[in-house]
Each structure stands twice: as C-alpha cells, then as structure tokens.
Amino acid sequence: MSALEGPTAAIRGRILLGDDREAEELWVRGGRVSLTRPSAQGTNMRVLEGWALPGLVDVHCHIGLAADGAVSPEEAEKQAVADRDSGVLLIRDAGSPLDTVWVHGRTDLPHLLRAGMHLARPKRYLRDYGLELDSPEQLPEAVRTQARRGDGWVKLVGDWIDRTLGADGDLRQLWPEDVLREAVAVAHAEAARVTVHAFATETIDTLLAVGVDCIEHGTGMTAEHMAEAARRGIAVTPTLLQVGQFESIAAQADGKYPVYAERMRGMYARRYQQVRDLYEAGVRLLVGTDAGGTISHGRIADECAELVAAGIPAAEVVAMASWRARDYLGFGAVVEGSSADLVVYPADPREDIEVLRHPTAVVLRGVVYPTAH
C-alpha cells in the first residue's frame, strides 16, 4: 500500500465492536474499516483517540415528520443531520408521510431503513401522519404496497383512543385479528417485517397471536405478554421519551375522556418498572427516541439515559443502542471491509451513560464530521 493509498483515519484506544469483541486500533480507507495495520500511513491521515462504538441506532425515528405532519425535504435533511451529529448513523424510520427515498443517495446522512407510511383508520390516529384506510379489509393490500415502497419494514397503528365513545372513550384496537393475521402474512411474503404501535394491554394478545415482529411502546404488556415475546423473539422499543409525555396527554384529556386519562396516567407512573420487567423477562429491547412529531431529533443520549434511569445497566444500554441494534436490523458487526460508521467518545459510556452526550467525532462512511458536544 502506497502512502497515497493509505488510510484516511485511524482510531486508537478502546474500540468496542461487540459484546465480546474489542480492538485497540482501527483504520479507515476508502470509507471502509480495516482491522489490519497498514504498511504505509495515509498522506493526510487523521488520528482519533478515545473510546469508540459502531454508530448508534435509533430504531423508532420519523425523518420527514413534525407535529403537524409532513415537513419539507429541507427540514427532513436538518432532522437527519441532527441525528447524525448525536452519533446516530443508522435509523429505522418508523413511519413518515414524506417519501424519504432520496436519503439513500446522500452519503452525508445516516443509513435509513424506511417503513413507509403509518397505516391507521380515519380519526383513529394523529391527523396527517399516516395513511387512513376506510375499511379494515383494506389493510393487507395497503401492507403489500408499503412493503414494496419501504426498506423491509411496515408500520401499523395497533390502537388509539376511540372518541366516538364519549366520556367512555379509551384506547381500542384498530384491526380485527383475522385481517391483521393476513396483513402480517402479506408483509412476510414481501420479505418485510411488521412493527406495531401498541399502548393498550388488550392489543398485545392479538399482536402476539398473529406473529408481528416488533412492538413499539408496549406500555400495556403484562408479565405473560413479556414471557411470550421473549420466547418468540419479538422485540420491544420502549420509547421512554414518548411515554414520559403521557402525564401531559392525560391532563389534556381530563374531563372529556376520564377513562383514557386514567389509563395514560397509570402507564406513565409505572413506565420505569415496565421497562425493568421487560428487561428481566429477557425481551429483546431496542432503543428508539420517537423523534419527529412532538419530540426533537438528536436525542438518542436522552433515551439511553432514561433506560438507565429505569434500571438497565449502562453497559447493556450501550450494547442495545449500538452493535446489537445493527445486528437486529441486518447490518451485522463491524468487520474488515464494512462501512466505516463509528462514534468516538472521551470516556467509556458503559461506565457513565452521560458520556453519550459528548461525542468527540462522528465517522460516517469513512468521513469524519465535527461535533458540537
């Protein structure tokens, strides 16, 4: 290897590549990882020192979505940059009204796995967020369409408040079990996985019965649900930043929807215990901020801190947010020749989760981006 062909960056210190894999040095050449010491240094090689991880992963994120629905491509770009600068280099977009396929062509933005549009019913989800189906029977074909438009994922809304019940308004399922079963089968036939928004306890029985792949929020899951999810390998994304808003949501519903308000308050109050129970039951937990809508982008460190506050060891949270999530989404481990997507920190985040707030360098596809942290 000549000097001109040498690496453009070297990372030195403690490089955490997996649960049982570490390295002391790693090189970046042509945007790819090399774990073999080069025979010659690059002419303008940059040396980064510290603790490094494979890029963080936000598995519940909405590029192209804001509180009032779709944003402009320019605003979506800003969202993606905020995520990148926080250390998130891989995103599973859990539903967006904006077609963001163009992100694939942007090497300066995180890797993106799109789930297409949320699939919901009229007046049974947030306005202008998803595709509203007039009849439940339309769900399987809508799933087929979104599976073909996305990147291996489909996002369903499993439950939402039914305001037609007046003062008795509360969370209710959107889809009959037979329709949902057919929809999941259609997605799997299209080589797509299905993840479902689910707050309510009574929604979970159906989701487990029809074989969904992932559950978002999971605030109503019982011990029996957790044990079954662990047995089946169904992952759960707790989204504690989102659940942390349930008290304010309940306050807005007071008076008009008292049953719903009481339920939301109960889920808020036990949110940390719920996550501890999921973890102790052996459920595969994913880290997702639910950014977009009412939560700003670039808050992966906040979500990780919430998981630690709930009682999950920092070392486990770091693994969940990095190499384990990459593996779950099919990106695999950082090995010789893989895309050079890493984040460098001044200290070990496994010892103090607050370190995640202060990356010293973000390396995406081999390019080093400065950080403001």
Side-chain angles (χ1 to χ4, degrees):
M1 180 187 295
S2 72
L4 292 177
E5 295 174 331
T8 56
I11 300 175
R12 294 171 181 163
R14 294 283 298 278
I15 305 165
L16 312 177
L17 300 176
D19 286 320
D20 299 308
R21 293 181 64 227
E22 289 191 17
E24 295 181 353
E25 291 184 295
L26 176 151
W27 293 267
V28 177
R29 177 173 176 266
R32 298 287 171 177
V33 165
S34 175
L35 299 171
T36 304
R37 180 181 295 277
S39 57
Q41 303 298 308
T43 305
N44 298 304
M45 187 180 76
R46 182 172 179 178
V47 177
L48 306 171
E49 296 185 346
W51 280 256
L53 310 174
L56 301 182
V57 184
D58 192 336
V59 300
H60 190 127
C61 191
H62 304 280
I63 301 295
L65 178 67
D68 297 326
V71 301
S72 67
E74 292 75 19
E75 183 60 30
E77 177 185 1
K78 292 178 182 178
Q79 293 175 342
V81 168
D83 291 322
R84 180 199 71 196
D85 291 349
S86 74
V88 169
L89 305 184
L90 172 60
I91 292 170
R92 184 189 65 176
D93 194 299
S96 176
L98 181 70
D99 183 356
T100 54
V101 68
W102 52 270
V103 173
H104 293 322
R106 291 284 300 272
T107 58
D108 60 327
L109 300 180
H111 301 276
L112 181 65
L113 298 176
R114 298 168 302 123
M117 297 179 70
H118 303 78
L119 296 177
R121 299 290 313 286
K123 299 182 180 180
R124 296 296 305 282
Y125 194 51
L126 295 163
R127 183 181 299 176
D128 299 325
Y129 272 41
L131 180 63
E132 298 181 352
L133 307 182
D134 293 329
S135 168
E137 286 67 33
Q138 294 175 311
L139 182 64
E141 194 56 38
V143 163
R144 190 187 316 278
T145 299
Q146 296 307 311
R148 291 178 178 179
R149 290 178 177 175
D151 301 316
W153 283 93
V154 175
K155 172 69 177 294
L156 309 182
V157 178
D159 56 36
W160 199 252
I161 184 173
D162 186 349
R163 296 180 176 85
T164 66
L165 300 175
D168 292 327
D170 195 7
L171 297 171
R172 293 290 185 270
Q173 296 185 62
L174 270 66
W175 316 104
E177 182 173 327
D178 59 337
V179 171
L180 193 57
R181 187 183 303 277
E182 181 182 353
V184 170
V186 166
H188 291 170
E190 295 290 339
R193 288 187 274 181
V194 178
T195 193
V196 184
H197 162 109
F199 288 160
T201 298
E202 52 269 35
T203 306
I204 304 298
D205 285 330
T206 301
L207 300 185
L208 296 176
V210 303
V212 301
D213 302 284
C214 189
I215 295 171
E216 306 302 309
H217 317 299
T219 45
M221 293 178 72
T222 66
E224 291 75 17
H225 292 148
M226 295 175 191
E228 184 65 8
R231 187 184 71 81
R232 296 191 182 199
I234 298 172
V236 175
T237 315
T239 62
L240 278 171
L241 290 177
Q242 181 60 261
V243 181
Q245 299 188 132
F246 281 13
E247 173 60 39
S248 62
I249 293 171
Q252 295 172 21
D254 274 336
K256 194 169 185 179
Y257 304 109
V259 177
Y260 171 72
E262 182 179 2
R263 190 200 292 246
M264 297 299 280
R265 279 202 174 91
M267 293 188 294
Y268 170 82
R270 68 172 182 270
R271 66 194 187 283
Y272 289 158
Q273 184 64 54
Q274 184 79 355
V275 171
R276 282 197 299 275
D277 290 346
L278 285 162
Y279 174 70
E280 290 171 1
V283 175
R284 182 167 200 163
L285 296 182
L286 305 173
V287 182
T289 63
D290 208 354
T294 59
I295 295 174
S296 59
H297 287 257
R299 296 190 61 189
I300 193 71
D302 291 335
E303 184 68 28
C304 288
E306 279 288 278
L307 290 166
V308 171
I312 301 179
E316 284 290 289
V317 174
V318 168
M320 292 171 187
S322 180
W323 55 84
R324 290 185 194 167
R326 285 173 55 93
D327 178 70
Y328 177 77
L329 293 175
F331 271 63
V334 172
V335 296
E336 186 78 25
S338 61
S339 181
D341 304 321
L342 301 113
V343 191
V344 183
Y345 297 95
D348 189 346
R350 299 172 301 176
E351 299 294 330
D352 180 2
I353 203 67
E354 293 297 313
V355 170
L356 292 182
R357 301 186 189 278
H358 308 289
T360 56
V362 171
V363 183
L364 174 60
R365 299 181 178 92
V367 176
V368 180
Y369 292 90
T371 69
H373 299 281

